Amino acid sequence: MSQWPEWLPLNTALQPLSPYGAPQVPADAVLNTNENPFPLSAQLAEAIGKRVESAARNLNRYPDRDATKLRTGLAQFINGLSGTSVTEENIWAANGSNEIIQSLFLAFGEKCAIGFTPSYSMHPLIARVTQTPWIDGRRREDFTLDIDLAKKEIAQNNPSLTFITTPNNPTGSSVTIDEIEELAESVPGLLVIDEAYAEFSDEISAVSLIDKYPNVVVIRTMSKAFSFAGVRLGYLVADKSVIDALFLVRLPYHLSTLTQVAAEVALEYRDELLGNVAALVANRTWVEGELKALGLDVIPSKANFLLFSGFDIPAPTLWKSLLDAGVLIRDVGLSGYLRVTIGSEAENTLFIQALTKIINESRLKTTSQDK
Ligand SMILES: *Cc1c(COP(=O)(O)O)cnc(C)c1O
């Protein structure tokens, strides 16, 4: 892998890497990055516009470095959802949860980090970029997390960061709060719970554990259920000492004034923005039923996507045929599996229609070859 010129002093650890690149191509149904398919209402767009306009007069100044107003709003939001009593001192806000993950590695990644594969591909990728040794822990055959095995692997490797994604991406399956508590009791270092899809799940959030287990830190985002991916706002809920440590690694003024005000307005409109979650969960049930009716296997999901298998076409071929039919889904690199985000009803119908046609045609071909 030496497409890099020899004179370029690129870090050795980076030389074999490729940049993150979920395809951004036009399609009739965009079901590949787990975004919320519903656009913001005209009223909300206008409210953001007004707030941005008045903030724009002060853009000669740096933003509030500590994003105090936004962090206070996020603390209230979390307390409303989970009955906790966190304050802004327990909240860190950044440009997407990916920046949070990077900051965690920068502050706490000296030893090593462990996650359980398959899971969110950015955890190991950001680990590499920050020169944090990464351990790929194992899951069961059906991709559920085996807590006893996890505890064993954690004990063997003594990581400073243990990543659990729940509901997990790309599988959609979740870990119970009791299992997280069991891990919290035994892991060395920090137990990082990535709850990017928590709003879609009926499991209790791990933010409820932070009081008792200050080593539990919880990553949340406005990118998925909150319908706000374009703004780039992720946040961390954690013990105050964790937040204080993140101040050491953040870049000065990392969160722009425009991001802060847009996210503040979004919190005021939280009911509207989260109002589609129930509809998406119902649509998930519908898509799951349709996939099963096609004879496919679907992993039970508590998120806004489904990982399915059981098709006899290679996953990259099926992915391409769907794209040719105007439906963009995700090949997550697991042989025999594809992941589809739950979209609007129209998008889901388009996906199921295209998939049905491709699968039926391939089955016809196989039967005529058999004759
Ligand atoms: C989508 C996703 C994120 C979100 O990243 P942002 O930077 O907040 O957009 C984080 N974790 C997981 C597991 C995800 O799937």
Side-chain angles (χ1 to χ4, degrees), residues 36 197 215 268 312:
N36 191 316
Y197 303 95
N215 60 330
E268 290 164 24
D312 44 22

Side-chain angles (χ1 to χ4, degrees), residues 130-150:
T130 56
Q131 319 254 329
T132 303
W134 176 265
I135 313 287
D136 261 328
R138 286 166 294 163
R139 289 172 177 265
R140 295 192 189 95
E141 285 283 298
D142 66 358
F143 301 143
T144 54
L145 190 68
D146 181 336
I147 295 294
D148 292 328
L149 178 63

Side-chain angles (χ1 to χ4, degrees), residues 20 33-35 94-101 119-123 126 164-170 194-197 219-224 228-230 232-235 304-305 339:
Y20 172 84
T33 50
N34 300 341
E35 295 148 321
N95 296 283
S97 35
N98 281 290
E99 188 187 4
I100 306 256
I101 295 163
S119 190
Y120 188 45
S121 59
M122 288 310 293
H123 296 155
I126 301 173
I164 302 287
T165 305
T166 183
N168 188 40
N169 178 9
D194 189 335
E195 290 192 353
Y197 303 95
I219 301 173
R220 306 281 291 243
T221 181
M222 285 191 171
S223 295
K224 307 290 164 57
F228 224 51
R232 308 301 296 126
L233 202 287
Y235 53 104
N304 65 334
F305 55 83
R339 191 193 72 191

Side-chain angles (χ1 to χ4, degrees), residues 362-371:
S362 121
R363 282 180 184 153
L364 263 177
K365 232 186 268 166
T366 328
T367 4
S368 58
Q369 276 163 6
D370 287 349
K371 275 176 195 158

Side-chain angles (χ1 to χ4, degrees), residues 23 296 307-324 327-340 351 355 358-359 362:
L296 302 177
L307 189 69
F308 63 98
S309 61
F311 40 83
D312 44 22
I313 311 165
T317 312
L318 179 53
W319 179 85
K320 181 66 173 60
S321 304
L322 282 166
L323 185 58
D324 292 342
V327 180
L328 176 61
I329 68 167
R330 189 66 168 270
D331 180 354
V332 292
L334 281 177
S335 173
Y337 290 86
L338 286 172
R339 191 193 72 191
V340 63
F351 162 63
L355 183 67
I358 296 163
I359 284 190
S362 121

Side-chain angles (χ1 to χ4, degrees), residues 68-333:
T68 308
K69 185 168 178 212
L70 174 59
R71 285 165 58 221
T72 304
L74 288 166
Q76 286 162 356
F77 172 62
I78 285 294
N79 292 338
L81 284 180
S82 292
T84 44
S85 47
V86 297
T87 72
E88 80 282 356
E89 295 192 321
N90 302 107
I91 304 281
W92 184 252
N95 296 283
S97 35
N98 281 290
E99 188 187 4
I100 306 256
I101 295 163
Q102 185 186 54
S103 299
L104 287 171
F105 284 129
L106 289 174
F108 304 109
E110 198 168 64
K111 280 198 219 152
C112 71
I114 187 170
F116 301 88
T117 315
S119 190
Y120 188 45
S121 59
M122 288 310 293
H123 296 155
L125 196 61
I126 301 173
R128 274 187 92 166
V129 168
T130 56
Q131 319 254 329
T132 303
W134 176 265
I135 313 287
D136 261 328
R138 286 166 294 163
R139 289 172 177 265
R140 295 192 189 95
E141 285 283 298
D142 66 358
F143 301 143
T144 54
L145 190 68
D146 181 336
I147 295 294
D148 292 328
L149 178 63
K151 279 162 73 173
K152 220 178 277 170
E153 291 189 308
I154 293 163
Q156 274 164 9
N157 291 287
N158 194 28
S160 47
L161 292 163
T162 295
F163 280 83
I164 302 287
T165 305
T166 183
N168 188 40
N169 178 9
T171 61
S173 44
S174 59
V175 177
T176 67
I177 193 74
D178 293 339
E179 290 173 314
I180 292 174
E181 184 161 5
E182 198 182 327
L183 288 174
E185 277 167 0
S186 64
V187 297
L190 296 182
L191 179 61
V192 183
I193 311 296
D194 189 335
E195 290 192 353
Y197 303 95
E199 293 92 342
F200 295 106
S201 167
D202 49 14
E203 295 286 350
I204 297 169
S205 165
V207 297
S208 59
L209 295 177
I210 293 169
D211 239 357
K212 189 167 170 199
Y213 302 97
N215 60 330
V216 172
V217 308
V218 182
I219 301 173
R220 306 281 291 243
T221 181
M222 285 191 171
S223 295
K224 307 290 164 57
F226 225 89
S227 230
F228 224 51
V231 171
R232 308 301 296 126
L233 202 287
Y235 53 104
L236 184 81
V237 191
D239 185 76
K240 179 179 181 301
S241 59
V242 176
I243 308 297
D244 289 346
L246 293 179
F247 277 97
L248 302 175
V249 296
R250 68 110 189 263
L251 296 173
Y253 313 109
H254 68 132
L255 206 54
S256 91
T257 300
L258 302 180
T259 303
Q260 292 185 38
V261 296
E264 285 161 21
V265 180
L267 282 173
E268 290 164 24
Y269 281 73
R270 67 189 73 170
D271 292 341
E272 174 187 321
L273 284 167
L274 291 172
N276 292 314
V277 166
L280 288 167
V281 169
N283 289 357
R284 178 183 77 205
T285 308
W286 181 80
V287 174
E288 184 180 2
E290 294 293 309
L291 290 171
K292 285 182 173 163
L294 277 171
L296 302 177
D297 299 317
V298 189
I299 295 182
S301 169
K302 298 216 170 181
N304 65 334
F305 55 83
L306 293 165
L307 189 69
F308 63 98
S309 61
F311 40 83
D312 44 22
I313 311 165
T317 312
L318 179 53
W319 179 85
K320 181 66 173 60
S321 304
L322 282 166
L323 185 58
D324 292 342
V327 180
L328 176 61
I329 68 167
R330 189 66 168 270
D331 180 354
V332 292

